[in-house]
Amino acid sequence: MTGSGELVWTAWPGERFELGEGLRHFDGGLVMVDILSGRLLGLPQTADAPARVLARLAEPLGAVAPLAGGGWIAAAGTGIAVLGSGAVRWLGRPEDDAATPMRMNDGAADPHGRFWAGSMAYDNEPGAGSLYRVDLDGTVHRVLDGLTVPNGPAFDADGVTMYLADSAHGVIRRCTVDPETGGIDDVAEFATVSDASPDGMAVDAEGHLWSAIWGAGQVHRYAPDGALDRKITLPAVQPTSVCLTGTRLVVTTASIGLADPADADGAVLAAPLPVAGLPACVAKIIDQPR
């Protein structure tokens, strides 16, 4: 698959999103968030109908993962919440007392059932963000700090390798995750992007990492050793997250900050691509604090 290439893109009809993100393939369908409007959205199987609202919060919604037993666990507002049956139950709000106004950003469950999510300052203050882990008992732990705009994380199939982007610094890091404790080690630079920002990510069935490249209108595929394997061009400047369904590459994009957005800016885009991705992992929170 090495190389660069043009794909034929189709956009879902209807709304163009200010900050569409967090695309996930789960149970045969696709879900995403529009961060600043606080909406969780479901997409039809084909790009022939607009997204439908599955849930709505009164604060920013950064990302979700499906929750065992139904519902969703969400990186939202200043913390982590469980969404289900119209109710919102908070597991923790670790950024409530931060020195600068903060919000949660991207997040994902790992293959062991834990949920991970990053936080960032509204004004992108350097180093103000953190990475949090939610353990199976529902407790929330800060595991990395000094981040600016964390995106991902993304995990390999066995959950031992985690990738985490700090978009503001153009870097993707890789680390080792202890399967038993969730502790992380061997944090190292995996790839860098010049003059643009690595955003949402996904790992494919061959162990390659795919990243939306905000500001460059591209998706990059990286080999397990960090070598850039492929560049794919999109008709939107600010891609934010990627998903591989096995038959298509699907990408969310954002229109925020663009003085004169084009038709595809803010759209959800899909192109035929026969690459198998990993399905969204399910969070297995067994004791949810109230």
Side-chain angles (χ1 to χ4, degrees):
M1 184 174 289
T2 300
S4 61
E6 301 289 339
L7 300 179
V8 178
W9 294 96
T10 301
W12 263 261
E15 185 176 359
R16 296 299 183 254
F17 300 102
E18 189 176 19
L19 192 53
E21 254 275 22
L23 194 60
R24 302 287 181 262
H25 187 218
F26 172 70
D27 198 25
L30 291 163
V31 298
M32 60 171 285
V33 299
D34 189 36
I35 293 180
L36 299 182
S37 73
R39 292 178 298 161
L40 173 62
L41 303 161
L43 294 168
Q45 288 294 318
T46 57
D48 57 4
R52 59 190 180 92
V53 178
L54 303 178
R56 186 189 299 266
L57 300 182
E59 47 201 312
L61 176 59
V64 303
L67 190 62
W72 307 89
I73 186 168
T78 54
I80 310 294
V82 170
L83 313 180
S85 302
V88 178
R89 184 164 64 255
W90 291 95
L91 302 181
R93 289 179 175 264
E95 297 289 3
D96 264 357
D97 299 322
T100 189
M102 304 286 291
R103 69 167 176 85
M104 301 303 293
N105 199 41
D106 204 0
D110 70 20
H112 306 287
R114 293 177 286 255
F115 183 68
W116 304 70
S119 67
M120 60 175 285
Y122 277 100
D123 65 359
N124 291 346
E125 180 180 327
S130 298
L131 177 68
Y132 293 94
R133 185 190 72 234
V134 184
D135 286 340
L136 303 189
D137 63 359
T139 55
V140 180
H141 307 271
R142 180 184 275 113
V143 293
L144 273 179
D145 56 18
L147 305 172
T148 301
V149 182
N151 270 293
F155 299 90
D156 65 357
D158 60 11
V160 172
T161 299
M162 178 176 73
Y163 299 94
L164 181 71
D166 196 340
S167 301
H169 301 290
V171 63
I172 301 171
R173 297 186 178 93
R174 178 173 60 190
C175 64
T176 301
V177 181
D178 187 305
E180 299 298 324
T181 67
I184 60 174
D185 202 357
D186 303 322
V187 181
E189 185 177 290
F190 173 73
T192 59
V193 177
S194 300
D195 302 322
S197 301
D199 208 305
M201 301 180 292
V203 178
D204 67 25
E206 297 180 356
H208 288 61
L209 180 72
W210 296 70
S211 176
I213 308 299
W214 173 287
Q218 295 177 344
V219 169
H220 289 181
R221 186 192 197 225
Y222 295 95
D225 64 359
L228 180 58
D229 177 73
R230 185 174 183 181
K231 292 182 180 180
I232 295 172
T233 301
L234 294 94
V237 176
Q238 297 176 158
T240 56
S241 67
V242 297
C243 188
L244 298 156
T245 70
T247 59
R248 295 177 298 168
L249 171 63
V250 187
V251 182
T252 53
T253 72
S255 62
I256 190 171
L258 297 177
D260 187 19
D263 288 346
D265 290 314
V268 183
L269 302 170
L273 191 69
V275 176
L278 301 177
C281 294
V282 175
K284 301 174 182 176
I285 307 304
I286 58 176
D287 182 17
Q288 298 162 3
R290 296 178 183 272

